[in-house]
Amino acid sequence: MLYAIFCYDSEDIVGAWTKEQDDAAIAKLGVVKQKLAQAGRLGPTVRLMPTTTATTVRKGREPIVLDGPFAETKEQLLGFYIVDCASLEQAIETAKDLGRASSSLGSYEIRPLRLFHPGSLAT
Amino acid sequence: MNEVASLDAALVGARPQAMGALLRHFRDLDTAEEAFQEACLRALQSWPAKGPPRDPAAWLIFVGKNATLDRLRRSQKQQPLPADDALSDLDDAEARMATQLDDVHYRDDILRLLFICCHPDLPATQQIALALRIVSGLSVAEIARAFLVSEAAMEQRITRAKHRVADADVPFEPPDAAARATRLSAVATVIYLLFNEGYSATGGTAHVRAPLCDEAIRLARLLLRLFPGEPEIMGLTALLLFQHSRTPARLDTDGAIVLLEDQDRRLWKRDLISEGLALLDKAMRHRQPGPFQVQAAIAALHGRAARPEDTDWNEIDTLYATLERLQPSPVVTLNRAVAVSKVRGAEAALAMIEPLARQLSGYFYFFGLRGALLQKLGRDEEARNAFDRAIALANTPAEAAHIRMQLDRLAKS
């Protein structure tokens, strides 16, 4: 079974780390990642840019584009895509395309990636 | 990361929200600061054993408020209350209630805190010092070091600023839309000044002042999280990220200035540039151009160019023309002239800056650029005069050294 593990943390605190503290935290995680990779168990890993870079598209007949991250608590995270886009505009269009293809309401939060490692899972 | 460092990050991260709420409760900067200090002391006693709470800001607000109320009550009645026991039993449920109450005010609390520090009645140097002390929590010694003044002088500057804002009487009611916009714009300007304070550092002072840039970026991101739909705050944050991305390449190993076109672009911090581009992309969608967005767009064109010769000077010229309309100033025209010299040549650029001579007669960069343009046109004698003036007006030894290098080149040609 494949599992996704999402990281939640306080942006106030992580944002207050010095570069040294950030590097140290990443290095510690790197050790765990390396073990997983050696065992052939590590898929894509991602570090997102800060929530200030987020844009949210609310699905609907006329989709609404909002600045900022997804903020509702009535809905749950059900999945995600990683898409190569030339611009935010293209990313928004892509989200709208996805929205047109699904009949439910709900939202897409668009966040640029800061880091992307494809991983080495056999699929 | 060791435990102390992680506690420290939690306290620093929670500071603006906690200080903002405590200021709303006590309506006095000194009392709010004492309350926050008291809460931090108790956090340092309690957190290492129990682990930090889920919501550090709510904890600090709750503890700071109670401890201070008890202290005030005690000093009034001379009656000791069993405050410490009650407080050490503080559980998450109480803190949660306190947050729910405070969350409503969260945004305006922080904005008010920032705005009080950035109050238009204060001179810029006091605004920056007060913001660093109150919002960022830097010690007076740290701020004094960054400004290259004595601790006593900085202490005095901050005290004076506090008195001034106490007299200025900033209203504590939630602001209406217009007042909020005014506060936001005043705060954005001071964050920009704070960044420049760190960015203009050179040579021997660069290492003590660079943290000011990090702090300015942290505050800009904070502001943008509070006001996620403000294109000018996106522009401001993007601008600071672009500028800061070049920091590793701006000075050589001797601390001498390296001009943009001579910088080793491999040293630029790519992750900051990407974040800036993402923010600028967001801002552009609003189609409400403002000075920060236009400056960010100019910086982005430099950030995008892999080599100096790839720079889109035509577009930079156009953007500066827009900036001249939005925010007319001789300095903007002077900057535009650099782009004009690339697009239409030194002659055109020189014609553009000549009318500025009187307004910029005390401005280092004016004579630096004038000299460089005259030199390109082969008017060596006039170029030498301009460079001499520039040296006399240099703000730092590195600036003077840079012009001297130009003079040496002139002498050799």
Side-chain angles (χ1 to χ4, degrees), chain B residues 70-234:
Chain B
D70 282 340
R71 186 173 57 75
L72 293 174
R73 242 177 262 144
R74 252 198 306 255
S75 67
Q76 275 169 2
K77 296 189 192 163
Q78 301 292 332
Q79 246 175 32
L81 290 170
D84 285 349
D85 294 344
L87 282 170
S88 56
D89 283 342
L90 174 71
D91 75 354
D92 263 8
E94 278 178 287
R96 247 199 313 280
M97 271 171 51
T99 351
Q100 277 166 3
L101 290 175
D102 282 311
D103 264 356
V104 187
H105 302 283
Y106 174 51
R107 206 171 75 143
D108 287 326
D109 278 349
I110 298 183
L111 183 60
R112 181 186 306 110
L113 180 71
L114 285 162
F115 178 68
I116 281 182
C117 299
C118 306
H119 199 279
D121 284 0
L122 296 177
T125 49
Q126 287 186 14
Q127 291 173 326
I128 298 170
L130 196 59
L132 286 173
R133 177 71 207 100
I134 300 291
V135 186
S136 309
L138 264 61
S139 71
V140 174
E142 284 171 309
I143 305 171
R145 228 176 9 251
F147 279 89
L148 314 172
V149 299
S150 75
E151 219 175 304
M154 185 47 75
E155 182 80 62
Q156 206 181 25
R157 190 185 294 182
I158 291 173
T159 310
R160 225 179 275 144
K162 277 186 187 165
H163 287 313
R164 261 217 163 111
V165 291
D167 294 342
D169 217 12
V170 176
F172 278 85
E173 292 70 45
D176 61 21
R180 195 175 276 144
T182 312
R183 290 185 181 189
L184 198 53
S185 135
V187 171
T189 304
V190 173
I191 292 177
Y192 181 68
L193 292 176
L194 167 60
F195 181 88
N196 277 341
E197 210 40 65
Y199 198 65
S200 55
T202 53
T205 67
H207 64 288
V208 290
R209 310 190 83 190
L212 299 185
C213 296
D214 291 326
E215 193 49 38
I217 289 175
R218 199 170 72 85
L219 291 178
R221 285 186 180 134
L222 171 70
L223 202 59
L224 187 52
R225 279 219 304 284
L226 298 177
F227 298 92
E230 292 291 335
E232 269 297 86
I233 308 299
M234 297 172 199

Side-chain angles (χ1 to χ4, degrees), chain B residues 19-20 25 28 30 53 60 68 89 115 137-138 159 176 192 222 228 232-233 250 253 290 296 328 330 351 372 377 399:
Chain B
M19 272 295 293
H25 290 302
D28 173 67
D30 282 328
L60 293 166
T68 305
D89 283 342
F115 178 68
L138 264 61
T159 310
D176 61 21
Y192 181 68
L222 171 70
E232 269 297 86
I233 308 299
R250 287 177 67 229
T253 41
L377 295 169
E399 282 179 358

Side-chain angles (χ1 to χ4, degrees), chain A residues 11-12 21 52 54 67 88 92, chain B residues 5 225 228 281-282 285-286:
Chain A
E11 224 175 3
D12 282 332
Q21 287 173 336
T52 44
D67 288 302
L88 174 64
I92 291 172
Chain B
R225 279 219 304 284
D281 240 11
K282 275 182 75 170
R285 294 191 61 257
H286 288 261

Side-chain angles (χ1 to χ4, degrees), chain B residues 320 332-342 345 349-350 352-353 369 373:
Chain B
Y320 269 122
V332 172
T333 308
L334 187 70
N335 284 324
R336 184 178 175 197
V338 177
V340 167
S341 78
K342 305 279 181 184
L350 198 61
M352 191 168 205
I353 68 165
L369 178 62
L373 294 173

Side-chain angles (χ1 to χ4, degrees), chain B residues 245-280:
Chain B
S245 73
R246 302 201 285 260
T247 298
R250 287 177 67 229
L251 298 175
D252 67 14
T253 41
D254 302 325
I257 295 171
V258 184
L259 288 184
L260 188 58
E261 48 191 21
D262 302 324
Q263 288 175 9
D264 180 353
R265 297 182 180 219
R266 288 166 306 179
L267 298 176
W268 290 359
K269 294 184 198 161
R270 287 287 142 197
D271 53 341
L272 297 189
I273 295 177
S274 309
E275 190 183 333
L277 290 172
L279 288 172
L280 193 57

